[in-house]
Amino acid sequence: FQKTEAPRPPGAKDLHAYPWDKSSLKSMPVDLQQLKKLDAYALKVNVTNSVEELVKALLKQARTDLEKVRAIWMWICHHIEYDVVGYHNKSQLSSKPRDVLQMGKSICEGYAELFEHMCSLAGIQCKKLSGHAKGHGYKTGQTFTGNSDHAWNAVYLEGRWHLLDSTWGSGSVDDSFTKFTYRYNEFYFLTHPALFINNHFPDNSNWQLLKPTLTLKEFENNMLHNSNFYTLGLLAARPDTPIIRTVNGKASVSVDCRSGTLFMFKLKGTDEHGLMTLKRHGMELDIYPQKTGSHKLEIFAKPFKAEAADDVYKCVLEYVVECESVDKAMRFPKELHQPVGPSWFSERQGFLRPSHSQPVLHTNDGRCSLTFTLSKDISVLTSLHADGSGSLSEDMGRRHVLQIHRRNQIELKVHLPHAGNFVLKIYSKKKSDPGNYDYIFNYLIRCLNTEVKWPAFPQSYSKWLQDYEILEPLSGLLPANRNVQFKLKMHGVAKVLVQAENTYPLTQNKGCWEGTCNTSGCREVFVMVHENANHSFYSHVLKYEVETQ
C-alpha cells in the first residue's frame, strides 16, 4: 500500500458553477459501460476478515485511481447495510472500519469512515464530511438546527475533489425506519456538486465545491429534487420553492425535461382536482384544491419507451400547497383522465395537427367541432361523459359525438345535451386489429349556457361506412308531422330509401343522395340502402327518432 499525503483543502479549481448548468449528472466524465466488468468483479469479492485484505483483493482489477475508488464504492454499496436498530441506539454502535466490516452494517458515519479508510489504504486522498441532509424523515420546508445528522465523503481524483455518498448509494429505509432495502443508486457516485447541494449541506461550506456557495437558509428553502428527478432526465421545475400558495383557488407547477416523459400527479392522494398537460419538453399542471388548508402535492414521472412496459412511475417532486380559498367552478368530472388535451403522446398514436391544442374547450351554444389529421390507418371511437344528474348512458355518450372522415382528416362534431362540464374521450385501434380500442386522450368541454339542449345524432349501423357523411338532418330527433329534407354523402350504393310511415326514395346528385320525407304517423325513421341493383334486400344504415306530439 502506498501512503497518502494529508488531503489538501478545496481550492478554486475544485469549484463548479451554481446553479447547475444542465450538462452532466457527474463532476467528471465516467464511462459506466467501461466500468461494467470491474463492477461485476468488485461485487463478487468476498473478504471480510480484514479491511487490508479486502482492499488488496479489490485492487487486483483496478488500474487508475477512478477504478480504485469505483471498486471500493461498488463493494460498500452492495455489502454494507444500513443499521436501522443501531440508528435508534447509537451509544452501542461502533463506526470503526474493522467493526463495520465484521458486522456488515452501520449508519452513515460508519459507511463514511470505512470508505475513507479503504481509500487511504489504496493510496487515494479521501475525506469524511458531515452536515445536514434532506434524507429520511425530512419534512418539506423544515429548518435545520443543532448538530449535523449525516456523513459522506469527498475523494481526490484527476487533480480535483469530488463528492459521493455510499450510504444513499446502497439503498433505502422504509417510512417507519424499521427495514433497510438494498437498492443501488448510481446517482450518488461523483455527483455534480450543484446537484449534491440539493440534499447535502456540509458543516464547512468550502466542501460544497460551489461558486457561489449557498447559505443554510437557501438550502432550507430550495426545492428538494430527489435522485429520480435527475436520473429520469428532468432538468428544472417551477416553482423552485417547496411551498406554493394558491391564488384565487389555483396553483401551477411545470417541469422541463429533455424528451418524451410521461407524468402523473397526486394531490392528497388523488388526481381529480387538476388539469395536467404533456408538453414536448415537460408538463404543465394547474391544480384547484376543493378544500382549504395544507395539501401534499406529489409529481411522478416515467420514461416513454414502447418496450419498457415494466417502468413504474417514480416520485420526482413534492410540494405543499397552501390553499386559502376554493374555486368551486373548477370542479372536474370524475371521468376526466390526466393528462388532458392533445400532446406528443396522442401524436405518436396517429392524431396530428389538432385544431384545438388546449385541454379545455369552451362553447356558448353547446356545439363544437375538432379536427385532426390521422397519420395511421386507425379506427376512432369517441364518447362524451358528464357527472351527477346530467350523466349519460354509454350509448348516448357515443351518440352526442359525430365522426366525419374526409380522406385522412377526421372531424368530431359534439352537440351537448345540456350545460355543464363534459369529458370527450378519444380511443383508437389499428383497422387491421380485431381487438379492443385503446384509450388515447381526452378534452374537457365546458358550457355555461343553461338554455342548451341538443338532441343526440342519429344512430348508425355497421353498413354506414366511415367515409359516408350526413349533411342533413344532423339531429337524431326529427319534428313530428313535418317534411324533412335529407342530404347524405354516400358512395357504392345503388339505391337509398327513407322509411317513415311511407317510403321515400332519395335521388343521386353530385355524390349526394337527396330528397324529402314526411314524419307524420311514425315514431322512427330509417335510412336504408340497396348495395346492389340486382338485390332485393335493403340494409339499415341510420335511425332517427320522431318527437312525440
Side-chain angles (χ1 to χ4, degrees):
F1 292 121
Q2 57 221 78
K3 196 79 200 97
T4 54
E5 67 261 40
R8 71 162 177 81
K13 66 175 179 179
D14 300 299
L15 305 186
H16 295 256
Y18 181 87
W20 183 47
D21 60 8
K22 300 182 180 164
S23 57
S24 157
L25 299 183
K26 298 200 182 292
S27 50
M28 66 183 274
V30 177
D31 184 341
L32 295 175
Q33 282 308 105
Q34 247 183 330
L35 291 170
K36 273 218 161 103
K37 253 169 83 174
L38 174 67
D39 289 353
Y41 169 79
L43 295 195
K44 288 198 185 77
V45 169
N46 187 12
V47 179
T48 48
N49 54 345
S50 89
V51 184
E52 287 76 10
E53 291 304 311
L54 172 59
V55 174
K56 220 176 252 169
L58 286 172
L59 295 192
K60 280 203 176 100
Q61 295 289 321
R63 310 217 174 353
T64 65
D65 283 358
L66 171 62
E67 287 173 357
K68 292 174 187 173
V69 169
R70 179 71 177 189
I72 292 168
W73 157 268
M74 266 326 219
W75 193 91
I76 290 179
C77 286
H78 291 85
H79 293 84
I80 306 296
E81 63 176 288
Y82 194 86
D83 187 350
V84 281
V85 179
Y87 173 83
H88 296 292
N89 190 2
K90 293 198 181 72
S91 59
Q92 305 297 306
L93 211 60
S94 161
S95 299
K96 289 203 170 68
R98 194 181 59 216
D99 299 335
V100 172
L101 183 61
Q102 243 127 43
M103 293 286 293
K105 55 183 171 188
S106 183
I107 58 171
C108 55
E109 197 74 21
Y111 279 89
E113 290 199 16
L114 179 60
F115 205 100
E116 183 180 39
H117 184 54
M118 287 174 76
C119 281
S120 79
L121 290 172
I124 285 160
Q125 291 189 47
C126 176
K127 194 166 166 47
K128 185 186 100 181
L129 303 174
S130 55
H132 292 294
K134 292 182 180 177
H136 186 85
Y138 167 73
K139 295 269 184 290
T140 300
Q142 77 170 60
T143 55
F144 291 90
T145 51
N147 294 338
S148 55
D149 55 18
H150 191 51
W152 57 92
N153 298 92
V155 290
Y156 195 73
L157 292 170
E158 299 183 12
R160 283 179 101 175
W161 282 107
H162 303 272
L163 303 169
L164 49 79
D165 183 340
S166 58
T167 310
W168 289 10
S170 66
S172 56
V173 284
D174 63 341
D175 287 342
S176 59
F177 219 83
T178 49
K179 185 170 169 288
F180 169 82
T181 309
Y182 276 116
R183 192 180 292 115
Y184 175 69
N185 193 338
E186 178 61 48
F187 183 74
Y188 293 107
F189 180 68
L190 311 184
T191 316
H192 193 296
L195 302 181
F196 203 73
I197 193 65
N198 193 21
N199 42 22
H200 293 75
F201 189 84
D203 294 334
N204 173 346
S205 63
N206 291 335
W207 284 108
Q208 291 179 23
L209 306 185
L210 292 175
K211 63 169 194 286
T213 51
L214 275 72
T215 63
L216 181 60
K217 193 95 210 103
E218 289 173 305
F219 173 73
E220 288 169 348
N221 292 338
N222 270 354
M223 190 65 208
L224 172 61
H225 299 138
N226 60 21
S227 60
N228 295 330
F229 184 92
Y230 297 106
T231 316
L232 286 168
L234 309 188
L235 299 169
R238 279 173 304 278
D240 49 13
T241 50
I243 295 171
I244 315 175
R245 286 189 178 27
T246 58
V247 177
N248 302 329
K250 168 180 162 182
S252 299
V253 172
S254 65
V255 179
D256 298 340
C257 62
R258 290 190 203 285
S259 64
T261 305
L262 296 171
F263 291 90
M264 58 179 255
F265 73 93
K266 290 214 154 84
L267 179 70
K268 287 182 74 173
T270 145
D271 68 357
E272 282 171 29
H273 307 300
L275 273 182
M276 183 180 82
T277 51
L278 280 188
K279 300 292 177 204
R280 202 162 290 296
H281 294 293
M283 74 92 170
E284 290 171 9
L285 169 64
D286 292 333
I287 50 170
Y288 303 88
Q290 293 298 304
K291 287 201 176 97
T292 55
S294 283
H295 308 303
K296 179 157 115 174
L297 171 65
E298 299 164 289
I299 312 277
F300 303 83
K302 75 171 187 179
F304 174 76
K305 295 196 217 52
E307 65 278 4
D310 56 336
D311 265 323
V312 290
Y313 278 99
K314 298 201 175 100
C315 185
V316 291
L317 289 167
E318 249 182 59
Y319 290 98
V320 172
V321 179
E322 302 279 358
C323 177
E324 285 141 33
S325 68
V326 169
D327 183 352
K328 286 275 186 257
M330 294 310 275
R331 272 226 171 108
F332 300 124
K334 288 260 184 299
E335 287 281 349
L336 190 66
H337 224 72
Q338 308 292 344
V340 186
S343 66
W344 57 265
F345 179 78
S346 51
E347 224 170 74
R348 283 193 190 188
Q349 309 301 319
F351 293 82
L352 308 185
R353 299 188 198 85
S355 56
H356 296 73
S357 53
Q358 294 306 312
V360 186
L361 275 91
H362 296 272
T363 163
N364 189 38
D365 72 355
R367 296 183 295 182
C368 55
S369 154
L370 301 91
T371 59
F372 305 92
T373 301
L374 299 181
S375 70
K376 298 179 174 174
D377 201 18
I378 51 180
S379 300
V380 177
L381 183 73
T382 49
S383 58
L384 196 65
H385 304 261
D387 262 0
S389 59
S391 68
L392 300 160
S393 69
E394 192 177 344
D395 176 54
M396 285 318 261
R398 298 234 167 101
R399 284 185 46 205
H400 276 275
V401 190
L402 180 69
Q403 294 186 26
I404 300 164
H405 292 259
R406 300 182 185 95
R407 291 197 302 284
N408 63 345
Q409 278 252 324
I410 182 173
E411 179 187 356
L412 305 177
K413 274 191 196 295
V414 182
H415 284 185
L416 300 180
H418 50 78
N421 287 334
F422 292 84
V423 180
L424 171 64
K425 291 194 174 180
I426 300 173
Y427 303 77
S428 78
K429 71 179 182 81
K430 280 204 192 82
K431 279 191 186 152
S432 52
D433 276 5
N436 291 333
Y437 283 85
D438 291 323
Y439 167 78
I440 308 295
F441 63 122
N442 62 182
Y443 283 92
L444 177 65
I445 302 178
R446 311 193 67 184
C447 176
L448 302 174
N449 179 355
T450 51
E451 308 283 289
V452 159
K453 188 174 180 241
W454 290 99
F457 292 105
Q459 194 172 341
S460 60
Y461 298 102
S462 59
K463 294 281 191 195
W464 178 263
L465 300 186
Q466 187 174 282
D467 52 0
Y468 288 179
E469 187 179 336
I470 305 171
L471 298 171
E472 58 182 344
L474 278 176
S475 165
L477 188 61
L478 303 178
N481 307 322
R482 282 281 175 78
N483 284 332
V484 177
Q485 186 70 33
F486 275 76
K487 190 171 183 184
L488 308 168
K489 233 186 208 173
M490 298 155 80
H491 57 80
V493 293
K495 255 186 189 169
V496 182
L497 302 179
V498 178
Q499 185 192 346
E501 190 172 21
N502 299 319
T503 304
Y504 303 86
L506 301 184
T507 52
Q508 196 173 12
N509 177 20
K510 297 186 180 130
C512 286
W513 293 84
E514 301 177 61
T516 312
C517 131
N518 188 286
T519 60
S520 330
C522 65
R523 302 288 310 277
E524 295 175 331
V525 171
F526 291 94
V527 177
M528 310 191 308
V529 299
H530 240 151
E531 295 173 64
N532 185 322
N534 305 326
H535 286 176
S536 58
F537 59 85
Y538 284 92
S539 309
H540 286 76
V541 289
L542 296 173
K543 172 183 163 188
Y544 290 83
E545 316 271 326
V546 177
E547 284 176 350
T548 46
Q549 294 291 288

